[in-house]
Amino acid sequence: MDTIDIGLAVTGGLLVLVVLGMRVAFAAGLAGLVGLIWIFWSKKGYAPDDFGWALTVAVKTAGQVPHSKVSSQALSLIPTFILIGYLAYYAGLTRALFEAAKRWIAWVPGGLAVSTVFATAGFAAVSGASVATSAVFARIAIPEMLKIGYDKRFAAGVVAAGGTLASLIPPSAILVIYAIIVEQDVGKLLLAGFIPGAFSALIYGLLIVGLALTIKGFGPPVGGFTWRERLVSLPPALPIVLVVVTIIFFVYNPFGGDAWGTPTEGGAIGAFIVFLMAVWRGMRWTELKDALLETAKLSVMIFTIIWGVLIYVRFLGFADLPGAFADWITSLTLSPMLILICILLAYAVLGMFMDAIGMLLLTLPVVYPAVMALNGGEFVSAADSAFGMSGQMCAIWFGILVVKMAEFCLITPPIGLNCFVVAGVRPDLSVQDVFRGVMPFFIADAITIGLLVAFPMIVLWLPGLA
């Protein structure tokens, strides 16, 4: 067998392990190690005496991966972004956001559900984790919606779908992971997530209003708030704005000149600001300890997945599978846009069986070079490209598209993680209830992805300024 055949065989084995229920981190690490042994041993003609040599070289090669890749400074963004979200919860910013959104937006048809979507979008601006966002608002927003007569399944669906916005709206852990894997600028990718994230929230809101207008008694508007009550609700939510502005200035200075620092420094200072706010609002030591422990647990989970998958990625490099896949994609007679749409549809199917981070880490080393080749290469100019954008802009655009697909996967059965989280927080809801509740949001996500594909400037305008 040549290296391509070995690569296909090991990848098939990896998919079998994942389908059988093995964790992605361990399945990928095991598949990568076996693949490396197989390739090195094949170079010696499978001589029995050389198996020990192949095993030693494979173990050394795999062992170098965790430190060499995870020691990247950019990855230090992930725990700081996650910490911001947990500290914001203990500082009471989530309740303040929801209350402000309710007083300003709840008067529209389906207003409380719309308020929940925009509150989750606001919290996503200080939280890098979709799971944390869904868990927090399952406690806050669902009881409020049930009080005024919302169907419990739809109320749960609103929270689960709204939580996915944390994947796009910076600070986003998944965007950072994408940037590391494809070796692109973290700052520009974070900037690129702002408008698509807000656009997704707007599409969700319009969907809810449309349902409320067409289905009798679906979601009654909530009124009775005076202008004074609305204005009073704004100051408690202002720390969110301060954190967002801080991160923007450390990524891109909108007033011109150099940025104030690196995204890593912006994330650290954002966490410090929220920490001070939490202390000022009376956060106790036990709450701080819980925030730190939850941050550590989620960070360790993400880094473990990265370690395992990067061993598999190292094997893919030796097998030359990414190059072979890119050559095959570019040899197809279909239009580049149609091929891109087929790739996105494949992500939708794959996301039914894998978690978002694992899916991206496993597929990007193969799919990303193919997409860049479709556009004309990493260094192609906009005039000579297939998608009408330079190589760097194509990398950013494709990144937002696949992260949006990762959002979609967080609510698709059978393993939509956000749905399990909401059901876990609310004992009165089954996972099946939550999956039924998120079904209307599949339509909203499909519309959003279609518009992002058709109008790339929604994604590229802000990073283009930088």
Side-chain angles (χ1 to χ4, degrees), residues 325-417:
F325 184 72
D327 291 340
W328 176 72
I329 286 290
T330 53
S331 69
L332 297 176
T333 57
L334 301 173
S335 71
M337 185 59 71
L338 182 58
I339 295 173
L340 176 65
I341 292 171
C342 290
I343 289 173
L344 295 178
L345 290 174
Y347 271 113
V349 174
L350 191 60
M352 295 179 182
F353 308 101
M354 297 182 64
D355 67 276
I357 293 176
M359 180 185 70
L360 292 187
L361 284 167
L362 285 176
T363 58
L364 282 174
V366 175
V367 174
Y368 173 78
V371 172
M372 297 304 291
L374 275 179
N375 190 50
E378 292 197 24
F379 304 104
V380 70
S381 65
D384 299 325
S385 65
F387 297 132
M389 62 192 76
S390 67
Q392 185 184 49
M393 290 294 105
C394 181
I396 293 173
W397 178 56
F398 180 65
I400 297 301
L401 291 178
V402 295
V403 169
K404 181 61 187 176
M405 293 307 301
E407 282 188 0
F408 188 68
C409 299
L410 288 168
I411 55 174
T412 52
I415 63 165
L417 190 56

Side-chain angles (χ1 to χ4, degrees), residues 96-107 111 114-116 118-119 233:
L97 269 176
F98 180 71
E99 190 63 34
K102 182 173 72 173
R103 295 186 185 186
W104 283 89
I105 304 172
W107 58 271
V114 177
S115 301
T116 300
F118 282 96
S233 70

